[in-house]
Amino acid sequence: MPRLIMRRGPTPGVVYELTAGEITIGRGRKNHIVINDNEVSREHCRLVRLVDDYELQDMNSVNGTFVNGLRVVSNWMLQPGMLVELGDSITLEYERTPFSDDRPTEFISPIGVISGNGTKPIASPNGASSTTVTEPEQEIRHCLMMTMGPTVGRVFFLSESIITIGRDLANDIIVQDPEVSRYHMRLRRTKTGYTVEDMGSTNGTYINGGMLNQPYNLEVNDVIRLGTMVQLQYIQQKSEESDERVSNTRTTTEAARDDTLFTSFMNPIAAQRKLSRLGTGLQPGALENHVFIAYARDEWESVIANLILSLQDAGLNVWVDQYLVQGSDDWRAAIEQALLECWLMVIVVSPNALASNYVKMEYRHFINREKPIIPLIHHPVSPMPPELSRQRTLMYDAANPRKTFHKLIFEIMQLRR
């Protein structure tokens, strides 16, 4: 039976079993699948049954419908393993052959969403029969260790039921290498560990030297190669040993509702200044002397714009993400280049900023690569994320912003020496 699994969104892990001939998805209550998220239009997209699978149609949504990162502009026939994105914050995975797990299930009938026990939508299994996936023993963790690639020696801890690996920022494990596809491979949790399968990658997935053509049950010390330049080893670690390392694996919940990525800074108040044109056309290395600014977009006028002008007055190159169209190819290319090349990050801390999972991804990327970060506390957050609380912070003085910016510039200059 075909189904959709919510990987990012307000209810991560929920399964929608698809049975009706036509299914609509949107924010409005009349849809068969209702998703309450601001990125989702009232009537966002439609699924039409064709034999064993479904054809996806966008319904003139504001923020777009995407399949494996490509915008849907005409009818798109779904195949198992494809990822459907609604705007920037919702990701659904399409499957035809379900496997037993402990996630809540909703059946889509012609009259709407019906839970497994015949009632309205549910938020938990509610007693419905299901097979619970056995967790690995508490003292042992399943991991992937990068033995060749951009972050050799990094350990990725595996705990989610489904984990995707690729170059795109929507993946659970992000590997920034040209030979890695946007959505390269997928891991599925089993009772004994994980299976691995290729997601139609361009350069292929290999297990112990052989090309992966079908799902494979991983065994300890198996070597996974993505293309020719990235290699991961499947290992097990004791909890005490694992806790000493920092994981770069994002959970499904952490990946939900990301609200801001990279764009160009072309604000009228600074039109005369020399700013980086972010998008396509930048040469490799063009952002190596830039300071990355991470922030909440709704605080642009109140603090961010003046902060950037002050940094530029001090002769610093800055990189921000205010106006590029989210989800476009330029947008994705810009974030990849800025993450790799900017040497320092200033994160303007506020509840709104830390609620953005893209902001979380950004500062974790810097921390994982041991790049310097300066948290500027615009509005205090309690508790502060542990990763940021260990950094040297500056408090924003609303009564005297210039003094705050001068302190920040001094800190940046000290780090630059």
Side-chain angles (χ1 to χ4, degrees):
M1 178 184 295
R3 67 183 189 174
L4 290 172
I5 303 171
M6 183 173 286
R7 293 195 54 243
R8 292 194 302 159
T11 53
V14 166
V15 178
Y16 301 96
E17 303 287 358
L18 310 177
T19 60
E22 182 174 313
I23 299 164
T24 59
I25 303 174
R27 198 174 72 249
R29 294 184 178 180
K30 294 183 179 180
N31 291 285
H32 299 88
I33 299 179
V34 179
I35 301 178
N36 291 312
D37 188 277
N38 291 334
E39 287 279 316
V40 178
S41 297
R42 290 187 180 277
E43 296 178 341
H44 198 104
C45 63
R46 178 191 295 115
L47 296 172
V48 178
R49 183 100 186 215
L50 294 177
V51 191
D52 293 329
D53 286 302
Y54 280 85
E55 186 178 69
L56 176 65
Q57 305 169 359
D58 185 77
M59 299 173 69
N60 296 318
S61 62
V62 174
N63 295 308
T65 304
F66 303 81
V67 175
N68 291 350
L70 300 177
R71 187 158 194 155
V72 176
V73 294
S74 60
N75 298 349
W76 194 304
M77 194 67 191
L78 293 177
Q79 298 295 326
M82 287 185 171
L83 296 177
V84 178
E85 297 173 279
L86 312 183
D88 295 324
S89 58
I90 306 297
T91 300
L92 303 164
E93 181 176 9
Y94 179 75
E95 286 191 344
R96 188 193 303 140
T97 305
F99 62 94
S100 297
D101 57 26
D102 55 359
R103 288 174 291 196
T105 303
E106 296 177 351
F107 297 90
I108 312 304
S109 75
I111 61 172
V113 181
I114 301 177
S115 67
N117 59 4
T119 63
K120 289 293 183 180
I122 54 176
S124 64
N126 221 14
S129 60
S130 63
T131 302
T132 303
V133 178
T134 303
E135 295 281 357
E137 293 183 6
Q138 202 167 33
E139 66 273 12
I140 297 295
R141 292 186 184 179
H142 296 273
C143 315
L144 289 177
M145 182 172 68
M146 185 171 289
T147 57
M148 183 171 70
T151 54
V152 173
R154 181 159 302 283
V155 175
F156 304 93
F157 302 127
L158 310 178
S159 61
E160 298 298 306
S161 297
I162 298 176
I163 299 169
T164 61
I165 300 175
R167 189 162 44 86
D168 195 278
L169 297 167
N171 289 285
D172 301 295
I173 297 177
I174 303 167
V175 180
Q176 298 285 357
D177 186 272
E179 289 205 14
V180 176
S181 295
R182 292 190 182 279
Y183 299 94
H184 199 107
M185 68 176 233
R186 179 191 296 112
L187 299 172
R188 294 185 187 273
R189 191 175 63 193
T190 67
K191 292 183 178 180
T192 57
Y194 281 86
T195 62
V196 59
E197 56 189 284
D198 187 80
M199 297 177 69
S201 65
T202 301
N203 295 306
T205 303
Y206 299 81
I207 303 293
N208 300 327
M211 178 169 276
L212 180 65
N213 296 315
Q214 60 185 5
Y216 171 82
N217 289 314
L218 286 172
E219 298 181 2
V220 175
N221 294 326
D222 277 343
V223 175
I224 306 169
R225 181 161 51 84
L226 313 183
T228 62
M229 302 301 295
V230 175
Q231 190 167 283
L232 303 163
Q233 186 171 11
Y234 181 63
I235 60 175
Q236 292 181 348
Q237 288 188 343
K238 294 182 179 180
S239 295
E240 312 84 65
E241 182 182 359
S242 302
D243 289 339
E244 294 176 359
R245 296 220 176 173
V246 178
S247 172
N248 194 40
T249 302
R250 294 183 296 133
T251 65
T252 303
T253 302
E254 288 175 328
R257 292 182 297 279
D258 297 346
D259 59 27
T260 176
L261 280 181
F262 301 20
T263 92
S264 57
F265 170 52
M266 299 300 288
N267 192 297
I269 64 173
Q272 74 278 16
R273 299 180 184 270
K274 294 182 180 180
L275 303 174
S276 296
R277 177 69 178 177
L278 301 179
T280 58
L282 282 179
Q283 295 296 319
L287 302 178
E288 288 180 351
N289 64 339
H290 283 59
V291 175
F292 188 113
I293 311 296
Y295 60 100
R297 283 193 171 181
D298 59 2
E299 295 170 348
W300 176 261
E301 293 184 1
S302 62
V303 63
I304 306 301
N306 288 330
L307 165 63
I308 291 169
L309 295 179
S310 295
L311 295 180
Q312 290 180 326
D313 285 339
L316 296 169
N317 294 315
V318 296
W319 192 95
V320 292
D321 65 332
Q322 191 61 20
Y323 298 115
L324 195 66
V325 177
Q326 293 183 348
S328 67
D329 289 340
D330 286 0
W331 178 80
R332 294 177 186 275
I335 188 172
E336 291 176 4
Q337 183 170 359
L339 278 175
L340 289 172
E341 295 182 1
C342 290
W343 72 279
L344 176 139
M345 171 183 287
V346 173
I347 175 171
V348 182
V349 176
S350 69
N352 287 343
L354 296 189
S356 164
N357 283 285
Y358 276 142
V359 171
K360 293 178 185 176
M361 176 276 298
E362 290 162 1
Y363 73 70
R364 286 173 180 167
H365 183 97
F366 269 63
I367 290 174
N368 289 336
R369 285 150 185 80
E370 299 182 349
K371 292 185 178 183
I373 295 179
I374 301 177
L376 176 61
I377 312 300
H378 184 215
H379 294 297
V381 176
S382 181
M384 275 277 282
E387 307 99 313
L388 295 181
S389 62
R390 292 190 287 267
Q391 309 296 322
R392 179 180 173 86
T393 62
L394 292 176
M395 293 298 299
Y396 178 78
D397 185 357
N400 194 348
R402 288 177 60 86
K403 182 179 179 181
T404 302
F405 298 153
H406 288 165
K407 288 183 178 180
L408 175 61
I409 292 166
F410 176 80
E411 291 292 333
I412 294 174
M413 295 300 187
Q414 290 295 106
L415 289 171
R416 205 174 187 178
R417 291 179 177 177

